Amino acid sequence: MKKRVGILTSGGDCPGLNATIRGAAKALYQRFGNDVEIIGIANGYAGLIAGEWRVMEPHEFSGILTVGGTILGTKRTPFKMMKVVEEDKVDKVAAMKKTYKDARLDCLLCLGGNGTHKTANLLSEEGLNIIGLPKTIDNDIYGTDVTFGFHTAVDIATEVIDRIHTTASSHRRCMVIELMGNKAGWLTLYSGIAGGADIILIPELPYNIENVCAAIQKRSEQGKTFSILAVAEGVYDVTEAGMKKKERAARRAERGEVTATNRIAHQIEQMTGFETRVCVPGHMQRGGSPSAYDRVLATEFGTHAAKLVEADHYGVAVAMKNNIVTENPLKDIAGKTKLVPETCDMLTVARRMGVSLG
């Protein structure tokens, strides 16, 4: 009887999804030959709930190594809603288990971020054979040193900062670059250092706007005619640090603040008099072809998942630890977020370079 391996991609897209799918598929065909069938689940867990699956052909996994996005499609299906029966009266967990059974799956590979891994663990606890693969440009999945998609996003964000340097210098402006990262600041920290940002603000370190403006003023006194700020979208100031999420949102709404970066830019202009602009590269950070590093990493992760399938080793998530590809029990990593710690080497590097962290 053929081994039937399901694959889905869930959550936000990122470079390297197709490379991982390809790595897993090619390794499975290499290990099992004609004794394996790969079942593609459309649009993540939404497709698993709706029963949207099909048997894929080997040729579908060729020519996708360099392609961004995902050939399977993806969708956000919040974990907090997985056990909630909504107006459509669908029991999502029961529906996913039914699709797994109807597709006659022996196991399911779930490519995604934190939310994806929480649902993967839920399905594992429900008795399904699950393997998680860590995808996110935020690099915030617990238990792995790196996630595929992160390095490509760093490359893109760094190029944005590089390009902003020339216009900032030409117009003698402060430029506030809003980078992705709602909870974790890895992307902003790494690209900020790589792009030579003068100020780096991340969610893990609540900023003081007085310190930010003082750093800009100091550069001006040294003859520097511009300043570059790399700012994670999820940053908040020292006052907001003591507030709950809803309180912060209410405070910002009351002040008419659309984003933290717009507030920061406005405050800089008010407090220093320097002309300030905001740049938001947005979803460009998640799009396009994966970097060489991410192609290699994705292939390593995908082929390791195939090895786990061959060994019937489930209930785990693939990980990179100290440059070795391994795996973690899903129950140990699901629901945990890897934030930038105060002892992070990159924070030390930034401080040594004289970069202000707010």
Side-chain angles (χ1 to χ4, degrees):
M1 184 177 291
K2 291 186 177 183
K3 196 105 170 174
R4 289 172 67 90
V5 181
I7 302 181
L8 64 77
T9 56
S10 178
D13 70 310
C14 83
L17 281 167
N18 286 326
T20 307
I21 293 169
R22 171 185 178 272
K26 286 185 173 290
L28 286 167
Y29 289 134
Q30 187 68 26
R31 289 172 181 273
F32 293 99
N34 294 325
D35 292 328
V36 66
E37 287 183 322
I38 298 176
I39 315 302
I41 314 295
N43 304 319
Y45 291 121
L48 191 63
I49 293 167
E52 299 174 358
W53 60 272
R54 65 182 179 84
V55 178
M56 301 185 73
E57 299 295 332
H59 70 83
E60 295 184 71
F61 303 105
S62 296
I64 63 172
L65 175 64
T66 64
V67 179
T70 164
I71 61 171
L72 297 175
T74 188
K75 188 175 181 179
R76 296 186 188 277
T77 310
F79 171 75
K80 65 181 179 180
M81 302 302 294
M82 282 300 181
K83 291 188 176 181
V84 177
V85 177
E86 301 179 78
E87 292 181 0
D88 58 10
K89 308 299 182 184
V90 174
D91 182 327
K92 300 179 187 67
V93 176
M96 288 189 286
K97 292 170 67 175
K98 181 179 184 300
T99 297
Y100 185 97
K101 182 178 179 181
D102 290 346
R104 306 192 311 280
L105 297 182
D106 292 295
C107 63
L108 176 63
L109 310 186
C110 301
L111 285 62
N114 284 317
T116 298
H117 279 72
K118 285 192 283 188
T119 299
N121 184 55
L122 168 63
L123 294 177
S124 179
E125 291 176 341
E126 289 288 328
L128 306 188
N129 295 330
I130 304 293
I131 296 172
L133 290 107
K135 170 259 358 170
T136 172
I137 68 170
D138 293 328
N139 197 37
D140 63 349
I141 295 180
Y142 190 82
T144 183
D145 295 339
V146 66
T147 58
F148 64 86
F150 171 65
H151 273 271
T152 305
V154 169
D155 286 347
I156 296 167
T158 299
E159 183 176 356
V160 169
I161 298 172
D162 288 347
R163 291 177 179 274
I164 289 298
H165 264 89
T166 58
T167 188
S169 175
S170 297
H171 289 275
R172 298 173 175 246
R173 287 173 175 164
C174 291
M175 298 296 292
V176 180
I177 306 170
E178 179 185 301
L179 300 174
M180 285 186 166
N182 193 36
K183 294 181 180 179
W186 295 104
L187 174 57
T188 300
L189 178 59
Y190 272 68
S191 58
I193 291 174
D198 307 299
I199 297 167
I200 298 174
L201 304 181
I202 61 175
E204 293 89 341
L205 300 175
Y207 68 90
N208 184 317
I209 192 62
E210 283 78 14
N211 292 344
V212 172
C213 291
I216 294 170
Q217 191 67 50
K218 181 180 179 180
R219 282 179 51 79
S220 177
E221 292 168 358
Q222 293 173 339
K224 308 294 177 60
T225 61
F226 68 94
S227 291
I228 304 291
L229 289 78
V231 181
E233 61 185 332
V235 298
Y236 46 88
D237 62 29
V238 289
T239 301
E240 293 176 323
M243 298 179 179
K244 293 182 179 179
K245 185 177 180 180
K246 289 185 178 180
E247 292 175 325
R248 287 199 296 268
R251 178 177 184 252
R252 292 182 181 184
E254 183 180 346
R255 296 184 174 193
E257 297 167 354
V258 179
T259 64
T261 46
N262 279 314
R263 176 183 64 203
I264 290 167
H266 180 66
Q267 289 174 318
I268 290 171
E269 285 198 337
Q270 279 192 322
M271 297 174 69
T272 69
F274 294 122
E275 188 177 5
T276 306
R277 294 288 186 274
V278 174
C279 173
V280 186
H283 289 76
M284 286 187 287
Q285 295 163 86
R286 292 215 312 241
S289 181
S291 65
Y293 181 97
D294 271 335
R295 294 178 200 181
V296 173
L297 181 67
T299 302
E300 287 183 291
F301 281 0
T303 55
H304 189 78
K307 175 184 175 182
L308 294 173
V309 171
E310 185 179 35
D312 289 320
H313 186 32
Y314 305 116
V316 296
V318 177
M320 174 76 80
K321 296 181 180 180
N322 298 318
N323 291 320
I324 296 174
V325 180
T326 182
E327 66 279 343
N328 296 306
L330 272 168
K331 61 182 177 62
D332 290 349
I333 61 104
K336 298 179 180 179
T337 303
K338 183 185 73 177
L339 301 175
V340 177
E342 290 185 8
T343 56
C344 177
D345 289 343
M346 287 298 104
L347 291 177
T348 301
V349 169
R351 292 187 179 103
R352 286 173 179 167
M353 292 288 292
V355 175
S356 173
L357 300 173

